[in-house]
Amino acid sequence: MASRKRSGSGSKRPKEKVVHIYELLCRGEDPKRQSAQFWEEFFLLQPNTEMLESELLKQTAEQYLNAKDNILQLFTECINMLSSGSPKRIHNALQTISVFIHVFFRKQSMVGTVGTGSDGATSGLVASAGSSAMFITVNDIEDDMRKLLKYLNAIMVCDDATDSPTDICLKILLIIATGMDNVNDNRLIEFIIGQNLFEAFKKILSDSALRNLHGHDVVTLLTILVNYRKHDGSNPYVVELSLLAEELALNGYGQVISCVLTMFCKQHLLTLTELSSSSSWFSSLSSIVGNMFISDELCCRSQQIRANNSLLLALYEAIHLNRNFITTLAHTQADSTPPSPCNTLNINDGTPDLSSAAILDASHYSTNLFVSLFQYCSIVMQDHKSELSAINLKLCLLILTCIAEDQYANSMMHDTNLTFKVSLHRAHMRHRKLTSEKVAKPQPLATTLLDLLVEFIVTHLLKKFPIELYLLCIGIIHRIIVYQKRCRVRLAYHWKELWTAMISLLKFLIYQEQNLIKRCNIFELALQVINIFNLFITYGDTFLATTNSYDELYYELNREEKVFSELHAMVLRYASMQDCDHKEDAIRLLNALSNILAIIKHFQIKIKEWLASQSLSTPTEQQILEQIQKNYDLTLKLQDSLDQYERYSERPKHVLFFANLVKEVMVDTRKTVYYLVKQMNKSNALESTSLNTTSGTHVERSVLLDGAEADDMNTTM
């Protein structure tokens, strides 16, 4: 072959042999006319994923009819090659399979009509006006898909090498699992359900080396599979995850989640450190520029938070389905290397290099999944404006609800021998002094959780009031106190902060009554708050750490007498209305207020009598506390069911929320996974080119063909 000039000469660039073969296959020409060993030789060629995808996507209906047999044969030969024992051929076949399945779903999304097979099930695509109307149907590849899943399972179960094809196998599984926005409409996912891969996943999660390489993919994949027809009762992955009891696998699952949350918290802390070290001139400039860049920053943060949805959903599923997983929440995480995430929305930004960052106080970093979650929640809570953050925060609160209902989780959180120093990030607010992040002395995790929930209460009293999040937050507090009451656990906690926060919430509901009553049931939320106060009043002797706590409670109720009186007046007004939408809740709230009003009335009379006898007009806090201690002679009404609550259930309240959340996870993961597959292909191609260059050889004639040779070959065939 005569030598040809390269770039800058004006001549054509040589065409890769593999690309020429793609063109032949897509024209419907018989590939074996070239060589009897065609497929063995073909899979030695490095795939060009972008060109294969392009060739398959641009086919017209007529071209597809000519090429259908070749396309099906390509898929079949790829699968057959997985048993060849040749690592190079296997890897090239897997990359080609990933393109085939990706295009399969792309073709489905490019047309609006879905065909129906002879069995009545959705099986493929019907021709429509347009060039992208037809492609392979599910019925065409049923046998091949079953065979593919068996090979993928065998590779993941048997291959222990870190350079094994396990990574690309998992990427293929993710491409299959995320192919359609609605997981329940995806017929290809049924092949994964039919070939149970749970043992392979368990093996990866149990091995620290494999987990660091593939843990994120496995956990994300498991989460999607668990949500496939989740409530039908026939999903083996739901059953397997529910029954999983092996400590290594459970801890591995938890470590994957903890590493991602910890990395997010570290990055946030690094950002705060960089901001605090900014020079004074930059601060002055910022004040001049104003909010010019705030929207971009919030958008970036929201996207980072959204990228964590898949792992938070994985945490929810494990806690919700598996009682054994609770034991891993307080398990100290030994692995320091986070797994490579597959669901990163900013895929073009690359992975931040934290190795050169300043060394920070180790107390800022999480040591177990409990701590990681609490610290992560405190960061997400600071974003009040983003809908994405609100979705993420709701998921966090649902996870905390499941934890607060679990007896064993509560026993760990209240264990005074199990203490941690946790950095809870606090939002900067006008009405409170600017302080550093709240880092207490080592304390039980229940104390930290209550601090976290109090922080939410005082920082989300917004015009766009998130009542659903408040109901979850107050519900978690109620569950924690009920546990303390039933088990007679006396937590050394500064309860005054909780009481003050809940009174501030009641005050907000009263003052924003006209705006809120039109769009939400404020009586339901107020009733939850009042019932918590009634728990303290009626059963406080079973869980309050000191007798002084009772005095402080009664002092706060009397100090905020105006709030409770105004609440009573508001509720009385609505309870007497004929057409009140939430009249039953208003009546229940009216009855729940009886003891608090009785306490306020009793002590107001006693305090006024004492002031008159002492000729005083303004008593001190200590004087009022003394009068409270001397005048506990009042009779209160015994209220029923204060320690009862409706156990959490995903159905029916939250089914739509999780359906939309799973859809978001599917879309985000799909974007990223195929991008990573193409990057893997480019890296392999560059590596192959580099090897040829460094070895001092020319690119082999069998790999590259110029335009003339390609035409000659086509003529001879």
Side-chain angles (χ1 to χ4, degrees):
M1 180 182 72
S3 61
R4 291 182 177 269
K5 294 180 181 179
R6 298 305 181 200
S7 59
S9 66
S11 63
K12 289 184 179 179
R13 187 183 176 189
K15 183 184 294 183
E16 289 180 76
K17 182 175 181 179
V18 72
V19 174
H20 177 68
I21 294 174
Y22 295 156
E23 293 173 350
L24 294 179
L25 292 173
C26 289
R27 286 201 296 263
E29 300 184 24
D30 183 6
K32 285 199 171 183
R33 289 174 58 186
Q34 183 177 350
S35 168
Q37 303 298 317
F38 172 80
W39 291 112
E40 286 77 6
E41 295 173 1
F42 172 75
F43 285 107
L44 288 175
L45 299 175
Q46 172 66 37
N48 187 322
T49 55
E50 290 191 353
M51 291 304 299
L52 177 57
E53 178 184 355
S54 175
E55 288 295 325
L56 292 175
L57 285 175
K58 72 183 184 183
Q59 283 195 311
T60 64
E62 183 180 353
Q63 290 170 335
Y64 164 76
L65 290 175
N66 292 330
K68 179 178 179 180
D69 290 342
N70 278 356
I71 294 171
L72 285 172
Q73 187 178 8
L74 172 62
F75 187 54
T76 301
E77 294 295 339
C78 285
I79 296 169
N80 291 337
M81 201 55 60
L82 298 182
S83 62
S84 67
S86 168
K88 184 174 181 61
R89 288 188 175 96
I90 290 173
H91 193 274
N92 291 342
L94 288 169
Q95 285 198 323
T96 306
I97 289 169
S98 69
V99 178
F100 181 92
I101 296 173
H102 172 76
V103 172
F104 176 87
F105 287 114
R106 280 285 302 277
K107 284 285 189 178
Q108 288 199 346
S109 67
M110 290 167 68
V111 292
T113 308
V114 181
T116 304
S118 58
D119 58 353
T122 302
S123 60
L125 305 178
V126 175
S128 65
S131 62
S132 59
M134 299 188 68
F135 197 62
I136 305 301
T137 68
V138 176
N139 290 343
D140 290 329
I141 57 174
E142 281 191 44
D143 292 338
D144 283 338
M145 284 299 299
R146 292 190 187 94
K147 195 173 179 182
L148 171 62
L149 267 296
K150 288 180 181 179
Y151 280 130
L152 296 181
N153 185 46
I155 290 172
M156 292 188 294
V157 168
C158 299
D159 207 330
D160 294 319
T162 55
D163 60 347
S164 72
T166 296
D167 186 40
I168 185 67
C169 289
L170 288 167
K171 294 296 189 291
I172 290 173
L173 290 171
L174 282 168
I175 291 172
I176 295 172
T178 61
M180 301 185 71
D181 290 352
N182 186 342
V183 65
N184 292 334
D185 292 341
N186 186 350
R187 280 198 63 197
L188 285 193
I189 209 173
E190 293 178 6
F191 295 102
I192 305 180
I193 300 297
Q195 175 67 55
N196 197 330
L197 305 172
F198 198 81
E199 286 301 318
F201 296 159
K202 190 163 65 175
K203 175 196 169 188
I204 292 171
L205 292 174
S206 301
D207 185 287
S208 60
L210 293 174
R211 181 170 63 249
N212 285 334
L213 290 169
H214 314 300
H216 195 292
D217 285 353
V218 168
V219 172
T220 303
L221 187 54
L222 257 178
T223 304
I224 294 170
L225 294 175
V226 162
N227 280 279
Y228 177 73
R229 299 183 180 175
K230 183 178 184 179
H231 303 294
D232 290 357
S234 58
N235 187 330
Y237 291 93
V238 174
V239 177
E240 293 278 11
L241 185 59
S242 301
L243 299 178
L244 181 61
E246 293 184 20
E247 187 176 356
L248 281 176
L250 289 171
N251 287 339
Y253 190 104
Q255 283 189 350
V256 172
I257 300 166
S258 183
C259 283
V260 171
L261 298 184
T262 300
M263 183 61 71
F264 179 88
C265 295
K266 286 182 180 181
Q267 189 62 51
H268 178 77
L269 196 56
L270 285 171
T271 303
L272 292 180
T273 305
E274 291 169 2
L275 290 175
S276 64
S277 62
S278 299
S279 59
S280 58
W281 71 265
F282 182 79
S283 300
S284 301
L285 178 63
S286 298
S287 63
I288 295 171
V289 175
N291 296 330
M292 185 180 297
F293 303 109
I294 288 180
S295 59
D296 290 339
E297 181 183 345
L298 288 175
C299 180
C300 179
R301 171 56 59 84
S302 297
Q303 293 299 319
Q304 290 172 343
I305 289 173
R306 172 169 170 163
N308 294 322
N309 280 345
S310 63
L311 271 296
L312 278 178
L313 184 58
L315 177 59
Y316 164 81
E317 297 296 356
I319 291 174
H320 185 226
L321 294 174
N322 191 314
R323 285 293 308 277
N324 300 316
F325 185 76
I326 293 294
T327 61
T328 71
L329 293 175
H331 180 79
T332 301
Q333 306 298 324
D335 289 356
S336 59
T337 305
S340 176
C342 74
N343 185 15
T344 307
L345 297 184
N346 298 323
I347 52 181
N348 295 319
D349 294 347
T351 304
D353 181 14
L354 301 179
S355 60
S356 59
I359 298 176
L360 304 175
D361 185 353
S363 64
H364 289 296
Y365 292 154
S366 308
T367 53
N368 64 34
L369 193 45
F370 261 133
V371 177
S372 298
L373 179 62
F374 294 168
Q375 191 173 354
Y376 175 83
C377 290
S378 72
I379 296 172
V380 177
M381 281 180 185
Q382 296 182 61
D383 189 352
H384 301 155
K385 299 180 180 179
S386 167
E387 183 64 27
L388 294 176
S389 296
I391 292 170
N392 194 270
L393 181 54
K394 179 179 176 179
L395 181 55
C396 289
L397 291 174
L398 289 174
I399 291 169
L400 294 176
T401 300
C402 294
I403 290 173
E405 284 188 1
D406 188 88
Q407 184 84 359
Y408 186 72
N410 266 306
S411 67
M412 286 193 294
M413 289 194 297
H414 288 84
D415 188 347
T416 55
N417 296 315
L418 193 65
T419 60
F420 296 90
K421 187 177 181 181
V422 185
S423 173
L424 292 182
H425 301 271
R426 307 183 75 203
H428 301 318
M429 303 183 69
R430 294 177 184 175
H431 67 271
R432 66 181 179 187
K433 189 176 179 180
L434 187 64
T435 60
S436 58
E437 307 307 330
K438 186 171 183 178
V439 183
K441 61 183 180 180
Q443 59 186 11
L445 290 164
T447 303
T448 303
L449 178 55
L450 286 170
D451 285 339
L452 178 70
L453 299 171
V454 167
E455 178 69 9
F456 173 82
I457 293 173
V458 299
T459 57
H460 287 73
L461 300 174
L462 311 168
K463 187 175 182 180
K464 190 177 179 181
F465 186 64
I467 188 168
E468 185 179 20
L469 300 184
Y470 269 95
L471 287 168
L472 290 171
C473 176
I474 299 299
I476 296 166
I477 294 172
H478 184 232
R479 285 160 172 78
I480 294 170
I481 295 174
V482 166
Y483 169 81
Q484 294 174 10
K485 178 255 179 184
R486 290 176 180 173
C487 299
R488 296 183 174 270
V489 175
R490 299 185 185 276
L491 185 69
Y493 185 68
H494 37 277
W495 293 108
K496 183 178 178 180
E497 289 191 14
L498 174 62
W499 300 330
T500 302
M502 292 196 301
I503 291 172
S504 296
L505 173 57
L506 293 175
K507 193 182 300 183
F508 178 85
L509 296 179
I510 294 166
Y511 294 159
Q512 295 294 321
E513 166 210 342
Q514 293 301 320
N515 294 326
L516 296 175
I517 200 69
K518 300 172 185 176
R519 53 191 177 88
C520 60
N521 184 359
I522 60 176
F523 305 112
E524 180 185 7
L525 178 58
L527 178 61
Q528 281 194 12
V529 173
I530 295 301
N531 279 341
I532 290 176
F533 275 113
N534 284 328
L535 263 174
F536 280 100
I537 292 168
T538 309
Y539 301 108
D541 59 317
T542 63
F543 61 87
L544 289 174
T546 65
T547 54
N548 291 338
S549 296
Y550 251 125
D551 304 336
E552 292 174 358
L553 171 62
Y554 281 33
Y555 175 82
E556 288 300 316
L557 295 178
N558 278 274
R559 188 173 69 86
E560 298 290 355
E561 173 268 337
K562 182 181 178 183
V563 175
F564 293 100
S565 297
E566 289 179 347
L567 178 63
H568 177 256
M570 182 188 79
V571 176
L572 191 61
R573 188 171 73 253
Y574 282 98
S576 59
M577 290 181 181
Q578 294 297 324
D579 57 347
C580 177
D581 291 337
H582 310 294
K583 188 171 183 178
E584 291 184 6
D585 286 323
I587 293 173
R588 281 197 288 268
L589 177 55
L590 192 64
N591 293 330
L593 279 166
S594 60
N595 279 346
I596 294 176
L597 296 175
I599 290 170
I600 292 172
K601 181 179 180 181
H602 171 79
F603 284 105
Q604 290 291 315
I605 293 173
K606 296 295 182 181
I607 291 169
K608 286 178 181 178
E609 289 176 352
W610 180 81
L611 289 174
S613 68
Q614 300 296 316
S615 300
L616 294 174
S617 59
T618 308
T620 65
E621 178 180 338
Q622 187 58 41
Q623 288 172 332
I624 292 178
L625 283 171
E626 288 176 0
Q627 292 309 305
I628 288 174
Q629 291 168 355
K630 294 176 181 178
N631 292 283
Y632 273 109
D633 53 333
L634 76 161
T635 302
L636 298 175
K637 178 182 177 182
L638 184 62
Q639 295 182 331
D640 298 327
S641 305
L642 291 177
D643 61 348
Q644 302 297 317
Y645 54 81
E646 183 181 352
R647 300 271 313 172
Y648 171 76
S649 174
E650 188 175 310
R651 292 187 294 179
K653 280 186 181 180
H654 307 291
V655 170
L656 182 60
F657 169 77
F658 281 106
N660 291 332
L661 186 63
V662 171
K663 180 178 178 180
E664 287 184 2
V665 169
M666 301 267 286
V667 171
D668 297 343
T669 305
R670 179 168 66 235
K671 289 178 183 176
T672 312
V673 166
Y674 193 62
Y675 169 84
L676 293 175
V677 169
K678 290 198 291 187
Q679 290 301 107
M680 187 187 306
N681 179 255
K682 288 179 181 178
S683 298
N684 291 336
L686 288 173
E687 184 179 344
S688 176
T689 304
S690 176
L691 286 173
N692 286 328
T693 303
T694 55
S695 63
T697 61
H698 296 290
V699 179
E700 292 185 9
R701 187 172 184 274
S702 61
V703 177
L704 295 178
L705 296 172
D706 62 25
E709 284 185 292
D711 293 338
D712 291 342
M713 180 177 288
N714 188 34
T715 302
T716 58
M717 294 178 68

